[in-house]
Structure formats: C-alpha cells, structure tokens
Amino acid sequence: MTLMSKLRVLVVEDSLTVRRRLCEVLASDPDIDVVGEAEDGQRGVELCRALRPDVVTLDMQMPHMTGVQATEEIMAHFPTPILIVSSSTNRGDLFNTYDALSAGAVDVLDKPTGEEPEGDWEERFLSAVKMVSRIKVITHPRARLRGHARTLTPAPYALAPTVDGLRSVVGLGASTGGPGALGEVLRTMPAPLKCPVFFVLHIGDPFGAAFAEWLERLTGHRVAMARDGERVAALAGRVTMAPPGRHLAIERGALRLTSDPERHACRPSVDTLFESLAREYGAAVVAALLTGMGRDGAAGLAAVRAAGGSTVAQDEATSVVYGMPREAVLLGAAGRVLPLPEIGPALASMVRAREGDGR
C-alpha cells in the first residue's frame, strides 16, 4: 500500500494515556496514518469535519459532548465509519453504546485491560479498524427512501397448523448494523405479539449483557435473554435473545443453549437458530435476515423457506452491510426483499395471517 492510500484514522478519546496507546498501536501498522487526535466529543466532531478521515475511533464517556452525541453529529453531517472503543460495562454506559450503534456507529471493541495475551488486543484493534473502513456508511439509516422493495415469489399467507399450541414463530438474525435494524423492526410490530420471537445478534461480551433490556425500553416489547430448557409454548408475547457466546436452538419444543463450535466464525449463529425453527415449526415460521457482514443466516433462511415458512431479507439500500442478506438472496432463500422500514409491518402481517387475525 502506498503512502497516498494509507488508511486515515482520527482518534477521539479523553484519557491521554489511552489515546496515546491507541495512536501507538495504529502507528505501528504501515498501512495506517493517524491524522488527528481529539480529547473530547466536540473536538472530535470538529476534526472529523475538517480532516474527513476514513475511520473514527470513538470513546463513549467524554466531556463537552458524549460519544452518542458525537456519533449523531458525524452521521448526520459528514458520515464516517465509526469504531466505538469503550471500557464501560455498567448498564447505563452499555445503553449509550447501543444508542451509538443505532445512530450509525459500525462496531464496538472493548479497551485493553492489560490482562490479554501479548499482542492479542492490538491485533483485534487493527483488524476492527480495517474492517470498519470497508463499510460504506450513510447519512442516517432511517432517512433512506422507501420503494426499493423487490418481491421474489412470496409465500401465501395461510392459517398455519398448530404446533405445540403455536400457529406462528418469528426468527430474526443480524450482525453489523443490527442493533438499529432490530430496534426498527420490533418498534414497527405490535406489542405484545401472540407468538414467540427469537433473534440472534452478533455482539460479544461484555457489550451484549444489557442489550435485551435496552431493546425492551426502545420497542415496548418484553425482551429477555434465552435460558436453557425454557418451553417455547410459554414464550408467546416475548422476544428472546440468544446470549453472547452461546448457540440458541429449539429442540422438542424447548430452548437449547450450547457451546458447540462456531459457524461462519459466529457463536451464536443465525443458521443454528433458523434451521432449528424450520425443523420444529415448518410453515409456521416467519423469519427475516437483516444487515450484517458474512453469510451467517443465509442457509438457515433457505431451510425455513424450504419447510414452507415465510422469509424476508433486508434490501441493499437500507443495509449497513449487504452481506448476509445478499447471500440469502443469491441462495433463493428470500421470499421477499424489503427496505428496513417495511420489514416489521410485513412480518406482523404474516403473523396475523397465521393466527387467523385480520384476514
């Protein structure tokens, strides 16, 4: 990589010690150029406007302007890929992280604790910065125009047979850009639903710890982390999240959490959830694959469609990363391809049809 094509990074961090460490790690990579440093969110926004970096690394808790406010300003006026680098693990600070991700930040990485194996955190940090730089961010995810929907032989909305006392079960999967997308989908679905809803989001510890509670406050749905052995039939009206680091599957009408090997470098895996839903509930399943990098979930969505369920993939225009949904479309797994604002209402319509309401 030539000097002219170096990745230009702006570091925004109020701690001088941490800021120097981040800059040192970035400067150790010959393909990266640290073009600026800011000690607070307001200065970070100013430098982002002036320097137009390729990536911003952003702390959450800063004076004058928080990381959430800085994210909102940057994404509203000069969209730039943002990597949140945070050590905050209490509930309030985690909520701020989710708010920033929902506002357009691309990914989050924990700050080094000093207990990691030598070079481990540095490698993860550099990889995250380079990954984030490849994302083509937009002014505001919810500001995109509707009307980009494309229909691919939609499944009929018919009254579903009862399985374990349920006529419908919803499955959702997302990765990069997922916090905001899941919030938008659930916010536009009536609460409570008559059926169970399950979702997988690629978000690791410690940042996944309070996500269910944040999503509940945002959407009005009852949201909880999955617990091994829970009976699916008792979860109607609840949204259930796969815990970070554990696969979630449905077996014989009960939740099963496992530490089985990763799939597509992911645990939890969307494929694992979707395939188990297809096996257990067949035509009663309504599933949507949302924004995300990679291909996790595509095969699972195909399994749902092959079992007679209804399937949706988020369209390219409204995806932060059109990776997972694209793979599903290429497999022929998506019965419908819809922009994000239309997915929640479409899923609600499919559920109502299976439940025999509003036909």
Side-chain angles (χ1 to χ4, degrees), residues 183-342:
E184 174 73 6
V185 168
L186 291 173
R187 188 183 60 79
T188 55
M189 299 178 73
L193 291 167
K194 290 187 176 181
C195 65
V197 179
F198 301 98
F199 76 87
V200 166
L201 172 66
H202 296 159
I203 187 170
D205 284 329
F207 297 105
F211 185 78
E213 186 177 351
W214 176 82
L215 196 61
E216 178 171 294
R217 291 190 177 192
L218 179 71
T219 66
H221 289 271
R222 189 160 59 96
V223 187
M225 205 76 77
R227 292 180 295 176
D228 190 65
E230 289 183 293
R231 301 298 301 181
V232 175
L235 301 179
R238 194 184 90 177
V239 178
T240 300
M241 173 183 177
R246 305 290 300 279
H247 288 304
L248 169 62
I250 315 299
E251 296 179 5
R252 299 181 182 179
L255 306 192
R256 292 290 177 257
L257 299 177
T258 75
S259 298
D260 289 346
E262 296 178 346
R263 298 184 62 179
H264 313 298
C266 301
R267 188 174 61 226
S269 163
V270 183
D271 276 336
T272 296
L273 172 63
F274 282 5
E275 289 167 1
S276 71
L277 290 175
R279 287 192 301 268
E280 289 278 316
Y281 299 107
V285 180
V286 174
L289 189 58
L290 308 175
T291 174
M293 184 173 290
R295 65 177 187 274
D296 186 34
L301 200 71
V304 170
R305 193 174 190 197
S310 294
T311 57
V312 174
Q314 187 174 344
D315 72 350
E316 182 174 9
T318 62
S319 293
V320 174
V321 181
Y322 191 56
M324 288 159 44
R326 176 181 180 274
E327 293 297 321
V329 171
L330 292 175
L331 276 181
R336 303 179 72 186
V337 180
L338 296 172
L340 181 61
E342 297 181 18

Side-chain angles (χ1 to χ4, degrees), residues 50-355:
L51 300 173
R52 298 302 172 99
D54 299 313
V55 174
V56 175
T57 72
L58 183 65
D59 188 23
M60 281 288 94
Q61 300 302 320
M62 297 180 292
H64 306 305
M65 182 183 287
T66 67
V68 175
Q69 293 169 324
T71 298
E72 292 172 342
E73 284 293 312
I74 290 170
M75 299 311 295
H77 301 293
F78 25 90
T80 308
I82 295 173
L83 173 66
I84 299 168
V85 183
S86 175
S87 60
S88 300
T89 57
N90 66 64
R91 187 178 64 176
D93 290 342
L94 287 173
F95 280 15
N96 288 333
T97 297
Y98 307 144
D99 286 340
L101 289 169
S102 184
V106 175
D107 205 355
V108 58
L109 180 72
D110 52 319
K111 289 180 180 176
T113 63
E115 299 178 359
E116 302 88 354
E118 185 176 355
D120 177 75
W121 184 87
E122 290 80 0
E123 182 178 348
R124 290 192 293 120
F125 177 48
L126 292 172
S127 295
V129 168
K130 292 177 181 179
M131 183 278 290
V132 166
S133 73
R134 298 195 295 268
I135 307 302
K136 294 182 178 179
V137 294
I138 58 168
T139 300
H140 194 291
R142 294 178 188 172
R144 292 182 172 182
L145 296 176
R146 300 186 182 190
H148 296 286
R150 183 162 60 93
T151 301
L152 302 175
T153 321
Y157 297 167
L159 185 64
T162 300
V163 183
D164 289 339
L166 300 169
R167 290 189 182 276
S168 57
V169 179
V170 175
L172 304 170
S175 186
T176 311
L182 286 165
E184 174 73 6
V185 168
L186 291 173
R187 188 183 60 79
T188 55
M189 299 178 73
L193 291 167
K194 290 187 176 181
C195 65
V197 179
F198 301 98
F199 76 87
V200 166
L201 172 66
H202 296 159
I203 187 170
D205 284 329
F207 297 105
F211 185 78
E213 186 177 351
W214 176 82
L215 196 61
E216 178 171 294
R217 291 190 177 192
L218 179 71
T219 66
H221 289 271
R222 189 160 59 96
V223 187
M225 205 76 77
R227 292 180 295 176
D228 190 65
E230 289 183 293
R231 301 298 301 181
V232 175
L235 301 179
R238 194 184 90 177
V239 178
T240 300
M241 173 183 177
R246 305 290 300 279
H247 288 304
L248 169 62
I250 315 299
E251 296 179 5
R252 299 181 182 179
L255 306 192
R256 292 290 177 257
L257 299 177
T258 75
S259 298
D260 289 346
E262 296 178 346
R263 298 184 62 179
H264 313 298
C266 301
R267 188 174 61 226
S269 163
V270 183
D271 276 336
T272 296
L273 172 63
F274 282 5
E275 289 167 1
S276 71
L277 290 175
R279 287 192 301 268
E280 289 278 316
Y281 299 107
V285 180
V286 174
L289 189 58
L290 308 175
T291 174
M293 184 173 290
R295 65 177 187 274
D296 186 34
L301 200 71
V304 170
R305 193 174 190 197
S310 294
T311 57
V312 174
Q314 187 174 344
D315 72 350
E316 182 174 9
T318 62
S319 293
V320 174
V321 181
Y322 191 56
M324 288 159 44
R326 176 181 180 274
E327 293 297 321
V329 171
L330 292 175
L331 276 181
R336 303 179 72 186
V337 180
L338 296 172
L340 181 61
E342 297 181 18
I343 293 177
L347 298 181
S349 176
M350 296 172 189
V351 168
R352 284 196 298 269
R354 280 160 172 72
E355 298 289 344

